[in-house]
Amino acid sequence: MTSATESTSLGRAGDAFPPYPYSWYAVAFAHEVAPGTVLTRRFLDGEIIVFRTTSGTLSAAEPYCPHLGAHIGKRGWVDGEAVVCPFHEFKYAASGQCVSTPTGEPPRGAALKTLPVRNHLGMIMVYHGPPGQEPAFELDLPESDPDWHPIATKKLHFKTHPQEVNENGLDHAHFATIHKFRNFVVPKPMQIEGPRIYTEYGGTKPVPVIGGVSFHFNSVLIGLGFSLVEIAIQGGLKVRQMVLPTPVAERHVDIYIGISAKKRARSTVLRALLAPIERLLGWIVLQVVASEVQRDQLIWDDKVYLEHPKLTPGDGPIGKYRHWVRQFYSAS
């Protein structure tokens, strides 16, 4: 059997997927990384550790101790403001620097290689970029927003690439064929501002018995690892949606999904009364979003990547998107 990138007697089946883009990527939900926590997560071709010190300082680093190579994410722990290697109990600060050993001064140059890490809207984001360089852009979002409920979360794993996941939101035709939207509209064209793409669109989703529910979407895509969509749903509910693809191997992504409902009441009493209902509605939307993403998975699992697709006017701004994504890849 030939792979998608091999030539066959019928011609070339597909092109090689692009390499890992330089972007911010989700590696955990904030509620998973309480003070004192050490997590191991797949990231690109390997693994990283994400930990939070007792005081709350967040850190992400490559997992192997520079002393003798032990995996700190496997049986390591947090002690105060340091993470401890389980082999010889070398201690590393959130900066990655070795701060103590049981047998004397830390060896010269002993440090974990750290990655830029942020907490944005309940998502722990890590930056992948050229070695030794600062992030090319920031997400510029708060850790949380008091006008919105904490996110309901789900994590999925798909066979695809971050570029393809985000391209899906600009593929207007597939909203009808895959997601069965009716009356799909695009009130204004896609706007590009550096590493950001802004889009607005809407449509009606068929629903048994009641006929259908209208949705209006306002989205911003920041790099190829973070998208934030504010959705106005018929009936007055507003939710925020994050569907964040993180590459964990060649053509494999973990998709972190976060859904948050907006707090509609202004008074403290009403907010308290409505909070359980709004959180429940947010959870229901999460299940719907996950189900819709899995509809896309049925295509992603078996499709090939075409570097030069034969597009039609009805496909939406995919061509402009393909040009925009070039900034997230190495020029070499």
Side-chain angles (χ1 to χ4, degrees):
M1 181 180 292
T2 57
S3 71
T5 56
E6 292 175 339
S7 295
T8 71
S9 59
L10 297 177
R12 185 170 178 140
D15 300 305
F17 271 74
Y20 300 129
Y22 295 152
S23 282
W24 290 94
Y25 295 108
V27 292
F29 301 111
H31 65 76
E32 297 180 291
V33 197
T37 301
V38 183
L39 295 180
T40 298
R41 287 294 152 93
R42 293 174 64 191
F43 189 65
L44 308 182
D45 288 321
E47 293 181 325
I48 61 171
I49 57 171
V50 181
F51 66 93
R52 196 185 290 272
T53 69
T54 301
S55 71
T57 302
L58 189 64
S59 184
E62 293 186 350
Y64 299 105
C65 178
H67 175 220
L68 285 173
H71 194 305
I72 296 175
K74 307 295 177 67
R75 293 170 292 280
W77 67 91
V78 169
D79 181 9
E81 296 307 296
V83 67
V84 184
C85 173
F87 196 6
H88 296 91
E89 299 189 4
F90 280 38
K91 294 184 178 182
Y92 297 88
S95 65
Q97 190 65 39
C98 183
V99 291
S100 73
T101 79
T103 55
E105 290 293 318
R108 179 178 297 178
L112 300 175
K113 182 180 177 182
T114 59
L115 297 86
V117 60
R118 310 281 190 269
N119 176 6
H120 288 300
L121 299 178
M123 297 284 186
I124 304 301
M125 308 294 299
V126 165
Y127 186 76
H128 163 61
Q133 294 186 23
E134 292 296 313
F137 60 95
E138 292 286 347
L139 299 180
D140 295 324
L141 294 165
E143 289 192 7
S144 61
D145 189 331
D147 290 330
W148 296 77
H149 290 287
I151 56 173
T153 61
K154 187 178 284 287
K155 181 181 173 185
L156 303 173
H157 181 85
F158 294 154
K159 184 181 176 184
T160 186
H161 184 279
Q163 180 177 315
E164 293 238 302
V165 174
N166 292 303
E167 183 171 287
N168 221 49
L170 301 169
D171 178 359
H172 296 165
H174 101 288
F175 282 98
T177 58
I178 299 298
H179 302 291
K180 309 305 178 185
F181 271 87
R182 302 192 305 257
N183 306 318
F184 189 81
V185 295
V186 182
K188 59 183 180 182
M190 177 182 80
Q191 296 180 351
I192 294 177
E193 295 181 9
R196 290 167 170 77
I197 282 181
Y198 296 91
T199 56
E200 183 179 348
Y201 50 93
T204 301
K205 180 77 171 175
V207 176
V209 182
I210 65 174
V213 175
S214 64
F215 293 80
H216 188 86
F217 304 85
N218 275 287
S219 75
V220 57
L221 173 62
I222 312 174
L224 291 180
F226 192 93
S227 67
L228 178 63
V229 185
E230 293 197 0
I231 309 173
I233 303 174
Q234 182 178 335
L237 180 66
K238 291 186 177 180
V239 298
R240 277 178 172 168
Q241 166 190 297
M242 291 175 281
V243 179
L244 313 186
T246 297
V248 295
E250 185 178 356
R251 206 191 165 188
H252 283 271
V253 300
D254 285 340
I255 293 188
Y256 291 80
I257 303 176
I259 298 291
S260 175
K262 188 174 180 61
K263 299 175 182 177
R264 289 182 288 179
R266 294 187 178 182
S267 75
T268 303
V269 173
L270 272 179
R271 280 200 169 190
L273 290 172
L274 290 175
I277 299 172
E278 291 170 340
R279 286 197 295 267
L280 174 61
L281 291 172
W283 181 86
I284 292 172
V285 173
L286 173 67
Q287 309 315 310
V288 173
V289 169
S291 175
E292 292 299 319
V293 173
Q294 286 168 323
R295 287 175 182 259
D296 294 310
Q297 179 190 13
L298 299 175
I299 302 298
W300 291 336
D301 279 351
D302 297 312
K303 77 185 293 295
V304 298
Y305 174 73
L306 300 177
E307 186 175 356
H308 301 290
K310 306 303 181 185
L311 299 175
T312 73
D315 287 320
I318 293 176
K320 291 182 179 179
Y321 167 82
R322 290 284 185 100
H323 181 79
W324 173 80
V325 302
R326 295 176 189 173
Q327 66 185 294
F328 306 110
Y329 295 101
S330 171
S332 60

